[in-house]
Amino acid sequence: MMTQSFALTPLGSTGTLSFIALLIGLIGIGIYIYYKALPQTSKVVIAAVLMPMFIAFSWMFYKVNDAKLIVTPDSVTVDVPFYRFSLPIEEVDVARIRQLNWSVGADTAFKPDLRVNGVGMPGFQLGWFSLVGQSKAFVAVTETDHVVLLPTVQGYPILLSLEQPDTLLSHFK
């Protein structure tokens, strides 16, 4: 088995609009605070909070379309903004990797429910989420038609939206 990279599905229109609305909202708050009659110290503190948030979300918006899953003979690496991590291949339950089918109401136990640590907005979920039927999962989902389940022996699944899920599934057969 050689190293192979699988692109995650880029943001769709809903996810893109969600990010744009968030960034415009942060800019709007910044403009409002700038013109609001507040002590200078308060304005500096608010700017010190808003600027890193704006930079972080802008970077995430830029990098999410370059996210990928990298499979080597020794490991599986999820390369997504803020959450890049690798697992030894032995910790992935390769025999149970499959595509989820939420569009027909199947596999609902694997649907993300509550965000534990991450970003959740319409059209984009990234980070750790509790699932409807399990304790938690790592999720990088931009659309629900091509979600692949990678179960781990550590007890949590990894859910990824892949551009070509069949290529990953055939890679592990």
Side-chain angles (χ1 to χ4, degrees):
M1 183 188 323
M2 52 190 274
T3 299
Q4 195 165 356
S5 180
F6 303 92
L8 273 64
T9 307
L11 286 175
S13 59
T14 304
T16 300
L17 291 174
S18 294
F19 263 107
I20 291 170
L22 174 68
L23 295 174
I24 289 172
L26 290 173
I27 291 170
I29 291 170
I31 291 170
Y32 175 76
I33 296 302
Y34 180 79
Y35 288 108
K36 178 83 172 143
L38 293 172
Q40 189 63 27
T41 306
S42 297
K43 288 183 178 185
V44 169
V45 169
I46 293 169
V49 171
L50 284 179
M51 285 304 294
M53 286 176 59
F54 182 82
I55 291 168
F57 281 114
S58 296
W59 180 78
M60 184 182 293
F61 182 42
Y62 171 73
K63 290 298 288 179
V64 74
N65 292 323
D66 188 34
K68 58 189 158 287
L69 174 70
I70 303 165
V71 180
T72 69
D74 303 332
S75 67
V76 172
T77 301
V78 179
D79 186 9
V80 294
F82 293 114
Y83 290 98
R84 185 178 211 270
F85 65 92
S86 294
L87 291 172
I89 196 74
E90 299 83 30
E91 292 188 19
V92 177
D93 188 352
V94 174
R96 292 181 38 225
I97 294 175
R98 64 187 176 95
Q99 185 171 349
L100 299 178
N101 198 353
W102 292 336
S103 59
V104 296
D107 302 314
T108 56
F110 292 103
K111 278 196 151 194
D113 190 22
L114 298 173
R115 184 180 65 242
V116 176
N117 176 342
V119 177
M121 62 178 78
F124 181 66
Q125 294 174 312
L126 175 66
W128 291 95
F129 286 74
S130 63
L131 301 178
V132 172
Q134 296 188 11
S135 60
K136 71 174 183 174
F138 181 80
V139 176
V141 173
T142 55
E143 58 84 22
T144 58
D145 291 335
H146 298 106
V147 178
V148 173
L149 167 71
L150 287 101
T152 67
V153 297
Q154 297 176 351
Y156 64 87
I158 300 169
L159 305 176
L160 304 171
S161 292
L162 295 179
E163 278 189 329
Q164 299 175 335
D166 295 333
T167 308
L168 176 71
L169 298 174
S170 65
H171 179 80
F172 283 111
K173 287 188 179 182

